Amino acid sequence: MRAKLAGAIVIALLVLSSCSPSPGYKRDEHSWWPFANVWNPGATDPQHPHIHAASQEGIWSPDAGYLFVDKDKSKDVQWTPGLPHPDNQHVISAAEEGKWAPAPGYDWVNPNDIASLNVRWVVGKEHPDFPHILSAPTEGYWSADPGYDWVDPAKSLSVAWKPYLAYANHPHIFSYDKEGYWLAMPGYKFYDTGLEIAPPGAGLDVTWNVGVTHPSCEWLTAAPEEGIWHLDDNFVFTSTDPSHLVFHRTEESAQNRKYSRIAFDVFVWLVGSAVGQSSDNDSSTTSALKYGARAIGDHAAVDGLTTAFSDPGAEEHVCDIHSTQWTRGFTGSV
């Protein structure tokens, strides 16, 4: 009887010892006890693919490229594009399950050896998620396309079209109010259009437009020499700063205007006074002239003499060749 009982116990132990440990565990090789199991990081679960035992006992982690559908309810996972590879920097999960792709701004070192997952930073590569963004010369940094500026660089790479930003690779042009359009600097015009505005797709090379009037300073015209402005003969410059021009009417011009006005107003006033009373001997034509002169005299006697001795040309004019809207700088990096 005892022999039979001992045999049954041995058989039971052998059967139990042949059973596999629970998922995530393995036999403890250092224990004599056949039922001693230890947690086995990296072990898989045969019932739930694409997960593995984490370093902490009882915790499971999704394989690279996968995320739990609902971690609190099950061990089910799904492939998720855009997740970083755990072992290869700047490599992310691709749209196709099981495939990997370079992170934004990167490309394969060897396109014929993608399995190695080796990548490198490539300057000028478009961002897949943010339009008008290119990889900058410095690794990990991004530049906005010409004419665009950051909306909030601390939060995202989003950009928006911004008027009056200079174009680094094309001097003398700036972004216009309308997105995609470019504006030539005062004194210049575009080769392709012959105008001061270039629509999207047009060439952005410009040429000096001799003889054109400055858009904000009507007394200035573009001289034959590029970048030089010619001032109207009635004015002289009073500043040597080439970008901030200050000028006023010449003394000769102002004096001529003053004396001409005095002569005219005094003449009208004298004529108006002389013909204040009509004569019976005047012809109809002479009477009409006297009537008109009297009307002129009534106005000129008060207004003419009070303004005759003012200097209408003495005011000073200031003209910024490059106004503040032209100096907001180039687009930068973040």
Side-chain angles (χ1 to χ4, degrees):
M1 184 68 180
R2 289 182 178 179
K4 290 183 179 180
L5 180 60
I9 292 174
V10 171
I11 293 174
L13 290 174
L14 290 173
V15 171
L16 291 174
S17 63
S18 64
C19 296
S20 298
S22 300
Y25 290 88
K26 67 177 181 178
R27 297 275 184 204
D28 187 353
E29 299 176 353
H30 303 288
S31 175
W32 61 268
W33 180 245
F35 306 114
N37 297 322
V38 293
W39 184 252
N40 183 23
T44 60
D45 188 333
Q47 301 299 321
H48 296 86
H50 306 304
I51 65 171
H52 59 273
S55 57
Q56 183 179 350
E57 184 174 357
I59 302 299
W60 293 87
S61 296
D63 289 347
Y66 291 87
L67 286 178
F68 286 110
V69 175
D70 190 337
K71 189 176 182 179
D72 296 330
K73 294 182 179 180
S74 73
K75 297 178 182 178
D76 294 336
V77 294
Q78 63 181 6
W79 180 260
T80 305
L83 296 179
H85 194 283
D87 303 318
N88 295 80
Q89 280 191 322
H90 313 303
V91 175
I92 59 176
S93 51
E96 183 180 352
E97 185 172 2
K99 301 293 183 180
W100 295 92
Y106 291 86
D107 205 350
W108 301 116
V109 171
N110 185 359
N112 297 322
D113 185 23
I114 296 178
S116 67
L117 300 182
N118 293 323
V119 295
R120 61 185 176 87
W121 181 258
V122 179
V123 178
K125 198 171 181 65
E126 294 182 357
H127 198 290
D129 303 319
F130 294 92
H132 307 297
I133 293 297
L134 301 174
S135 51
T138 302
E139 184 174 0
Y141 284 75
W142 296 89
S143 295
D145 277 346
Y148 291 86
D149 201 5
W150 308 107
V151 175
D152 190 346
K155 295 182 179 179
S156 76
L157 295 178
S158 297
V159 295
W161 181 261
K162 189 174 183 179
Y164 309 118
L165 289 178
Y167 197 137
N169 296 330
H170 289 273
H172 312 303
I173 70 171
F174 300 84
S175 51
Y176 191 48
D177 291 338
K178 189 175 181 180
E179 185 173 2
Y181 285 74
W182 293 90
L183 180 66
M185 200 172 172
Y188 291 88
K189 65 179 179 180
F190 289 96
Y191 274 116
D192 282 4
T193 64
L195 304 173
E196 296 177 351
I197 297 177
L204 298 181
D205 291 332
V206 295
T207 181
W208 183 250
N209 192 9
V210 178
V212 69
T213 301
H214 193 284
S216 59
C217 303
E218 59 181 304
W219 302 282
L220 297 175
T221 55
E225 302 85 0
E226 183 175 358
I228 302 300
W229 292 92
H230 174 72
L231 187 60
D232 187 88
D233 292 337
N234 292 329
F235 294 85
V236 292
F237 288 116
T238 57
S239 169
T240 58
D241 185 347
S243 63
H244 184 77
L245 302 181
V246 181
F247 49 90
H248 64 271
R249 289 189 183 276
T250 61
E251 182 178 355
E252 179 181 358
S253 174
Q255 290 294 333
N256 289 341
R257 291 185 60 197
K258 179 177 72 174
Y259 293 142
S260 296
R261 182 62 184 269
I262 291 174
F264 174 77
D265 287 343
V266 171
F267 169 76
V268 172
W269 180 74
L270 291 174
V271 171
S273 299
V275 299
Q277 300 295 328
S278 61
S279 172
D280 295 337
N281 298 325
D282 290 340
S283 64
S284 58
T285 302
T286 302
S287 297
L289 289 174
K290 288 182 178 181
Y291 180 81
R294 187 184 305 118
I296 295 175
D298 291 342
H299 173 75
V302 177
D303 182 63
L305 290 180
T306 56
T307 61
F309 293 97
S310 65
D311 187 354
E315 71 273 12
E316 191 173 64
H317 302 272
V318 178
C319 180
D320 286 337
I321 295 300
H322 312 304
S323 60
T324 54
Q325 69 181 16
W326 302 110
T327 56
R328 296 185 182 178
F330 302 99
T331 52
S333 300
V334 62

